[in-house]
Amino acid sequence: MSVRHFLTLTDFSSQELKALIQRAIELKAMQKKKEIYEPLKNQVLGMVFEKSSTRTRVSFETGMIQFGGSAIFLSPRDTQLGRGEPIEDSARVLSRMVDAIMIRTFEHEKIELFAKYSSVPVINALTDRFHPCQLLADMQTWFEHCGDIAGKTATWIGDGNNMCHSYINAARQFDFKLNIATPEGYEPDADLVKIAGDHVEMISDPVNASRNSDLIVTDVWASMGQEEEQKKREEAFRGYQVNDNIMGIANSDAIFMHCLPAHRGEEVSADVIDGQQSVVWDEAENRLHAQKALLEILLK
Ligand code: CP
Ligand code: NVA
């Protein structure tokens, strides 16, 4: 049987994703009750990080420990990965030792190549193109706060980046409508938008895009690896801040999400991220529970 990877949300069916979210909610309740549940005893997750992380690292590591297993942090600085050992070789070697591998890297093609040569499941913990694990947490958070997301409207404001691409996939898989407002030149991948069909609408004006919306979501203007574009992007994204004006246009019970880390005063105002409609702390916590559900599916 071929190994199952999780490189994008489209690697799982819509039913599987919904079941995963329900399982994440159950695992969260079990954890809150301090119930011991160790389905992954003696199993090891290799965690390759070529970019920084707080949430992803801590949630995967904690999840493995709670499940009775363990995790190994691998950075290119002190492994042969950083000295040019071929990805194909690294994948074959690491997957002969650990039970699953989580990777955060730059080019999405790199994780695809790694997965091709890995004999154990590979999990995308963020590439320049997608961040599917974050969407599991976002969807769990939505379901906990508001029930099913099918038929609802979400609005993405800001960069057409890895998070935006994963929202496009989520709109297809969870059957919601996604309005996307980006400045010219920062649109998401046109092919992804096309495949999403009626699920996605490009509305460049953030105010118009927020009308009738149930969920407002944004992300940093300059992602990891784009630090030198910060100034240029601040100019381009002026007018794309999620603030009280935007939340006032959206439905009155709309919620606000951000994958974090956030830059208050840039993509979101402090009033919004620290305000009543923000669910960002639940969203961050749910990285743990949603990824435990993912690990359970891939490894148990
Ligand atoms: N949201 C997210 O992936 O956070 P980290 O970069 O801290 O892992
Ligand atoms: N778009 C951001 C997400 C960080 C979790 C980045 O890639 O840096």
Side-chain angles (χ1 to χ4, degrees), residues 241-272:
Q241 182 187 78
V242 177
N243 48 32
D244 284 337
N245 181 36
I246 293 290
M247 294 311 291
I249 299 281
N251 288 342
S252 57
D253 55 355
I255 57 176
F256 170 76
M257 290 197 204
H258 188 309
C259 64
L260 306 177
H263 294 177
R264 286 171 177 75
E266 290 182 29
E267 75 275 6
V268 61
S269 68
D271 284 353
V272 168

mmCIF file of all heavy atoms in Angstrom, residues 241-272:
data_model
loop_
_atom_site.group_PDB
_atom_site.id
_atom_site.type_symbol
_atom_site.label_atom_id
_atom_site.label_comp_id
_atom_site.label_asym_id
_atom_site.label_seq_id
_atom_site.Cartn_x
_atom_site.Cartn_y
_atom_site.Cartn_z
ATOM 1 N N GLN A 241 -5.798 46.883 5.664
ATOM 2 C CA GLN A 241 -5.751 46.498 7.072
ATOM 3 C C GLN A 241 -7.150 46.050 7.540
ATOM 4 O O GLN A 241 -8.153 46.684 7.219
ATOM 5 C CB GLN A 241 -5.300 47.685 7.922
ATOM 6 C CG GLN A 241 -5.190 47.336 9.402
ATOM 7 C CD GLN A 241 -4.904 48.569 10.251
ATOM 8 O OE1 GLN A 241 -5.786 49.365 10.550
ATOM 9 N NE2 GLN A 241 -3.643 48.733 10.611
ATOM 10 N N VAL A 242 -7.181 44.983 8.324
ATOM 11 C CA VAL A 242 -8.448 44.592 8.957
ATOM 12 C C VAL A 242 -8.580 45.428 10.232
ATOM 13 O O VAL A 242 -7.779 45.297 11.164
ATOM 14 C CB VAL A 242 -8.483 43.083 9.283
ATOM 15 C CG1 VAL A 242 -9.785 42.741 10.016
ATOM 16 C CG2 VAL A 242 -8.366 42.254 8.014
ATOM 17 N N ASN A 243 -9.569 46.323 10.229
ATOM 18 C CA ASN A 243 -9.771 47.207 11.386
ATOM 19 C C ASN A 243 -11.271 47.288 11.685
ATOM 20 O O ASN A 243 -12.067 46.558 11.084
ATOM 21 C CB ASN A 243 -9.168 48.597 11.101
ATOM 22 C CG ASN A 243 -9.616 49.111 9.739
ATOM 23 O OD1 ASN A 243 -10.724 48.809 9.296
ATOM 24 N ND2 ASN A 243 -8.760 49.875 9.072
ATOM 25 N N ASP A 244 -11.631 48.161 12.598
ATOM 26 C CA ASP A 244 -13.048 48.260 13.000
ATOM 27 C C ASP A 244 -13.960 48.577 11.824
ATOM 28 O O ASP A 244 -15.114 48.148 11.793
ATOM 29 C CB ASP A 244 -13.214 49.329 14.085
ATOM 30 C CG ASP A 244 -12.720 48.811 15.435
ATOM 31 O OD1 ASP A 244 -12.686 47.578 15.609
ATOM 32 O OD2 ASP A 244 -12.354 49.645 16.291
ATOM 33 N N ASN A 245 -13.435 49.328 10.858
ATOM 34 C CA ASN A 245 -14.232 49.672 9.688
ATOM 35 C C ASN A 245 -14.624 48.399 8.923
ATOM 36 O O ASN A 245 -15.793 48.197 8.576
ATOM 37 C CB ASN A 245 -13.411 50.628 8.798
ATOM 38 C CG ASN A 245 -14.177 51.051 7.569
ATOM 39 O OD1 ASN A 245 -15.396 51.231 7.625
ATOM 40 N ND2 ASN A 245 -13.473 51.174 6.450
ATOM 41 N N ILE A 246 -13.647 47.514 8.715
ATOM 42 C CA ILE A 246 -13.913 46.254 8.008
ATOM 43 C C ILE A 246 -14.847 45.367 8.834
ATOM 44 O O ILE A 246 -15.833 44.820 8.310
ATOM 45 C CB ILE A 246 -12.576 45.504 7.730
ATOM 46 C CG1 ILE A 246 -11.710 46.274 6.722
ATOM 47 C CG2 ILE A 246 -12.816 44.060 7.281
ATOM 48 C CD1 ILE A 246 -12.242 46.290 5.311
ATOM 49 N N MET A 247 -14.580 45.244 10.128
ATOM 50 C CA MET A 247 -15.427 44.377 10.967
ATOM 51 C C MET A 247 -16.859 44.935 11.037
ATOM 52 O O MET A 247 -17.819 44.185 11.179
ATOM 53 C CB MET A 247 -14.836 44.220 12.378
ATOM 54 C CG MET A 247 -13.500 43.480 12.441
ATOM 55 S SD MET A 247 -13.386 41.900 11.547
ATOM 56 C CE MET A 247 -14.435 40.815 12.492
ATOM 57 N N GLY A 248 -16.976 46.244 10.907
ATOM 58 C CA GLY A 248 -18.291 46.893 10.925
ATOM 59 C C GLY A 248 -19.085 46.621 9.652
ATOM 60 O O GLY A 248 -20.316 46.682 9.644
ATOM 61 N N ILE A 249 -18.392 46.343 8.557
ATOM 62 C CA ILE A 249 -19.058 46.048 7.273
ATOM 63 C C ILE A 249 -19.516 44.584 7.251
ATOM 64 O O ILE A 249 -20.563 44.243 6.706
ATOM 65 C CB ILE A 249 -18.072 46.281 6.088
ATOM 66 C CG1 ILE A 249 -17.593 47.729 6.033
ATOM 67 C CG2 ILE A 249 -18.662 45.815 4.761
ATOM 68 C CD1 ILE A 249 -18.544 48.698 5.433
ATOM 69 N N ALA A 250 -18.671 43.702 7.836
ATOM 70 C CA ALA A 250 -18.994 42.263 7.851
ATOM 71 C C ALA A 250 -20.253 42.030 8.687
ATOM 72 O O ALA A 250 -20.723 42.942 9.387
ATOM 73 C CB ALA A 250 -17.820 41.489 8.432
ATOM 74 N N ASN A 251 -20.788 40.802 8.630
ATOM 75 C CA ASN A 251 -21.963 40.479 9.451
ATOM 76 C C ASN A 251 -21.661 40.761 10.925
ATOM 77 O O ASN A 251 -20.512 40.618 11.365
ATOM 78 C CB ASN A 251 -22.342 39.009 9.263
ATOM 79 C CG ASN A 251 -22.950 38.770 7.884
ATOM 80 O OD1 ASN A 251 -23.381 39.726 7.227
ATOM 81 N ND2 ASN A 251 -22.960 37.532 7.438
ATOM 82 N N SER A 252 -22.701 41.113 11.679
ATOM 83 C CA SER A 252 -22.457 41.554 13.066
ATOM 84 C C SER A 252 -21.879 40.437 13.938
ATOM 85 O O SER A 252 -21.171 40.702 14.907
ATOM 86 C CB SER A 252 -23.739 42.098 13.676
ATOM 87 O OG SER A 252 -24.723 41.096 13.608
ATOM 88 N N ASP A 253 -22.165 39.164 13.569
ATOM 89 C CA ASP A 253 -21.604 38.070 14.366
ATOM 90 C C ASP A 253 -20.365 37.446 13.715
ATOM 91 O O ASP A 253 -19.968 36.331 14.059
ATOM 92 C CB ASP A 253 -22.673 36.997 14.622
ATOM 93 C CG ASP A 253 -23.293 36.480 13.327
ATOM 94 O OD1 ASP A 253 -22.967 37.029 12.247
ATOM 95 O OD2 ASP A 253 -24.089 35.523 13.383
ATOM 96 N N ALA A 254 -19.754 38.174 12.777
ATOM 97 C CA ALA A 254 -18.562 37.652 12.096
ATOM 98 C C ALA A 254 -17.417 37.482 13.093
ATOM 99 O O ALA A 254 -17.325 38.225 14.079
ATOM 100 C CB ALA A 254 -18.143 38.608 10.983
ATOM 101 N N ILE A 255 -16.569 36.498 12.826
ATOM 102 C CA ILE A 255 -15.395 36.321 13.679
ATOM 103 C C ILE A 255 -14.127 36.650 12.885
ATOM 104 O O ILE A 255 -14.144 36.676 11.650
ATOM 105 C CB ILE A 255 -15.318 34.903 14.313
ATOM 106 C CG1 ILE A 255 -15.313 33.806 13.247
ATOM 107 C CG2 ILE A 255 -16.471 34.701 15.290
ATOM 108 C CD1 ILE A 255 -15.130 32.394 13.823
ATOM 109 N N PHE A 256 -13.047 36.892 13.619
ATOM 110 C CA PHE A 256 -11.775 37.257 12.989
ATOM 111 C C PHE A 256 -10.718 36.195 13.280
ATOM 112 O O PHE A 256 -10.572 35.755 14.428
ATOM 113 C CB PHE A 256 -11.285 38.618 13.520
ATOM 114 C CG PHE A 256 -9.863 38.917 13.088
ATOM 115 C CD1 PHE A 256 -9.588 39.325 11.780
ATOM 116 C CD2 PHE A 256 -8.791 38.736 13.962
ATOM 117 C CE1 PHE A 256 -8.276 39.557 11.371
ATOM 118 C CE2 PHE A 256 -7.479 38.980 13.555
ATOM 119 C CZ PHE A 256 -7.230 39.394 12.260
ATOM 120 N N MET A 257 -9.992 35.784 12.242
ATOM 121 C CA MET A 257 -8.889 34.830 12.429
ATOM 122 C C MET A 257 -7.591 35.357 11.814
ATOM 123 O O MET A 257 -7.598 36.154 10.865
ATOM 124 C CB MET A 257 -9.218 33.477 11.777
ATOM 125 C CG MET A 257 -10.307 32.709 12.472
ATOM 126 S SD MET A 257 -10.272 30.968 11.969
ATOM 127 C CE MET A 257 -11.980 30.537 12.297
ATOM 128 N N HIS A 258 -6.495 34.873 12.371
ATOM 129 C CA HIS A 258 -5.143 35.213 11.886
ATOM 130 C C HIS A 258 -4.262 34.061 12.342
ATOM 131 O O HIS A 258 -4.302 33.680 13.521
ATOM 132 C CB HIS A 258 -4.710 36.537 12.528
ATOM 133 C CG HIS A 258 -3.432 37.109 11.971
ATOM 134 N ND1 HIS A 258 -2.267 36.383 11.840
ATOM 135 C CD2 HIS A 258 -3.135 38.367 11.541
ATOM 136 C CE1 HIS A 258 -1.322 37.153 11.329
ATOM 137 N NE2 HIS A 258 -1.819 38.364 11.131
ATOM 138 N N CYS A 259 -3.457 33.509 11.442
ATOM 139 C CA CYS A 259 -2.651 32.331 11.813
ATOM 140 C C CYS A 259 -1.562 32.667 12.829
ATOM 141 O O CYS A 259 -1.081 31.772 13.515
ATOM 142 C CB CYS A 259 -2.055 31.704 10.561
ATOM 143 S SG CYS A 259 -0.887 32.754 9.683
ATOM 144 N N LEU A 260 -1.197 33.942 12.918
ATOM 145 C CA LEU A 260 -0.129 34.415 13.796
ATOM 146 C C LEU A 260 1.251 33.893 13.316
ATOM 147 O O LEU A 260 1.281 32.813 12.754
ATOM 148 C CB LEU A 260 -0.363 34.027 15.258
ATOM 149 C CG LEU A 260 -1.706 34.424 15.876
ATOM 150 C CD1 LEU A 260 -1.798 33.899 17.322
ATOM 151 C CD2 LEU A 260 -1.907 35.940 15.844
ATOM 152 N N PRO A 261 2.337 34.577 13.545
ATOM 153 C CA PRO A 261 2.438 35.834 14.284
ATOM 154 C C PRO A 261 1.812 37.011 13.521
ATOM 155 O O PRO A 261 1.823 37.034 12.300
ATOM 156 C CB PRO A 261 3.962 36.029 14.413
ATOM 157 C CG PRO A 261 4.570 35.257 13.299
ATOM 158 C CD PRO A 261 3.647 34.111 13.042
ATOM 159 N N ALA A 262 1.281 37.976 14.301
ATOM 160 C CA ALA A 262 0.604 39.138 13.723
ATOM 161 C C ALA A 262 1.440 40.403 13.903
ATOM 162 O O ALA A 262 2.232 40.501 14.838
ATOM 163 C CB ALA A 262 -0.737 39.320 14.422
ATOM 164 N N HIS A 263 1.212 41.345 13.009
ATOM 165 C CA HIS A 263 1.843 42.669 13.139
ATOM 166 C C HIS A 263 0.729 43.673 13.373
ATOM 167 O O HIS A 263 0.096 44.147 12.417
ATOM 168 C CB HIS A 263 2.616 43.018 11.874
ATOM 169 C CG HIS A 263 3.809 42.138 11.624
ATOM 170 N ND1 HIS A 263 4.604 42.252 10.506
ATOM 171 C CD2 HIS A 263 4.340 41.150 12.372
ATOM 172 C CE1 HIS A 263 5.575 41.357 10.569
ATOM 173 N NE2 HIS A 263 5.434 40.669 11.693
ATOM 174 N N ARG A 264 0.485 43.999 14.637
ATOM 175 C CA ARG A 264 -0.566 44.976 14.959
ATOM 176 C C ARG A 264 -0.208 46.317 14.324
ATOM 177 O O ARG A 264 0.951 46.725 14.383
ATOM 178 C CB ARG A 264 -0.694 45.145 16.477
ATOM 179 C CG ARG A 264 -1.381 43.958 17.168
ATOM 180 C CD ARG A 264 -1.277 44.066 18.668
ATOM 181 N NE ARG A 264 -1.973 42.987 19.381
ATOM 182 C CZ ARG A 264 -1.523 41.741 19.482
ATOM 183 N NH1 ARG A 264 -0.381 41.393 18.908
ATOM 184 N NH2 ARG A 264 -2.218 40.826 20.150
ATOM 185 N N GLY A 265 -1.191 46.960 13.721
ATOM 186 C CA GLY A 265 -0.927 48.247 13.066
ATOM 187 C C GLY A 265 -0.592 48.077 11.594
ATOM 188 O O GLY A 265 -0.556 49.048 10.849
ATOM 189 N N GLU A 266 -0.307 46.852 11.163
ATOM 190 C CA GLU A 266 -0.124 46.597 9.728
ATOM 191 C C GLU A 266 -1.377 45.876 9.203
ATOM 192 O O GLU A 266 -2.392 46.513 8.998
ATOM 193 C CB GLU A 266 1.154 45.779 9.478
ATOM 194 C CG GLU A 266 2.404 46.601 9.745
ATOM 195 C CD GLU A 266 3.691 45.850 9.472
ATOM 196 O OE1 GLU A 266 3.725 44.956 8.622
ATOM 197 O OE2 GLU A 266 4.705 46.180 10.128
ATOM 198 N N GLU A 267 -1.313 44.549 9.083
ATOM 199 C CA GLU A 267 -2.450 43.837 8.470
ATOM 200 C C GLU A 267 -3.695 43.825 9.351
ATOM 201 O O GLU A 267 -4.803 43.615 8.857
ATOM 202 C CB GLU A 267 -2.051 42.407 8.074
ATOM 203 C CG GLU A 267 -1.926 41.409 9.224
ATOM 204 C CD GLU A 267 -0.563 41.429 9.895
ATOM 205 O OE1 GLU A 267 0.251 42.292 9.540
ATOM 206 O OE2 GLU A 267 -0.323 40.578 10.790
ATOM 207 N N VAL A 268 -3.515 44.049 10.656
ATOM 208 C CA VAL A 268 -4.680 44.081 11.558
ATOM 209 C C VAL A 268 -4.456 45.142 12.631
ATOM 210 O O VAL A 268 -3.323 45.337 13.095
ATOM 211 C CB VAL A 268 -4.919 42.689 12.192
ATOM 212 C CG1 VAL A 268 -3.744 42.212 13.030
ATOM 213 C CG2 VAL A 268 -6.208 42.663 13.029
ATOM 214 N N SER A 269 -5.543 45.796 13.016
ATOM 215 C CA SER A 269 -5.435 46.784 14.099
ATOM 216 C C SER A 269 -5.461 46.033 15.430
ATOM 217 O O SER A 269 -6.027 44.936 15.527
ATOM 218 C CB SER A 269 -6.599 47.776 14.030
ATOM 219 O OG SER A 269 -7.808 47.115 14.341
ATOM 220 N N ALA A 270 -4.881 46.646 16.446
ATOM 221 C CA ALA A 270 -4.882 46.033 17.786
ATOM 222 C C ALA A 270 -6.322 45.851 18.272
ATOM 223 O O ALA A 270 -6.661 44.838 18.885
ATOM 224 C CB ALA A 270 -4.088 46.908 18.753
ATOM 225 N N ASP A 271 -7.189 46.812 17.949
ATOM 226 C CA ASP A 271 -8.596 46.740 18.377
ATOM 227 C C ASP A 271 -9.266 45.459 17.903
ATOM 228 O O ASP A 271 -10.056 44.860 18.629
ATOM 229 C CB ASP A 271 -9.402 47.912 17.785
ATOM 230 C CG ASP A 271 -9.114 49.208 18.505
ATOM 231 O OD1 ASP A 271 -8.399 49.154 19.527
ATOM 232 O OD2 ASP A 271 -9.596 50.251 18.025
ATOM 233 N N VAL A 272 -8.959 45.083 16.674
ATOM 234 C CA VAL A 272 -9.612 43.886 16.118
ATOM 235 C C VAL A 272 -8.995 42.614 16.676
ATOM 236 O O VAL A 272 -9.695 41.740 17.180
ATOM 237 C CB VAL A 272 -9.579 43.898 14.568
ATOM 238 C CG1 VAL A 272 -9.977 42.532 14.000
ATOM 239 C CG2 VAL A 272 -10.515 44.976 14.038
#
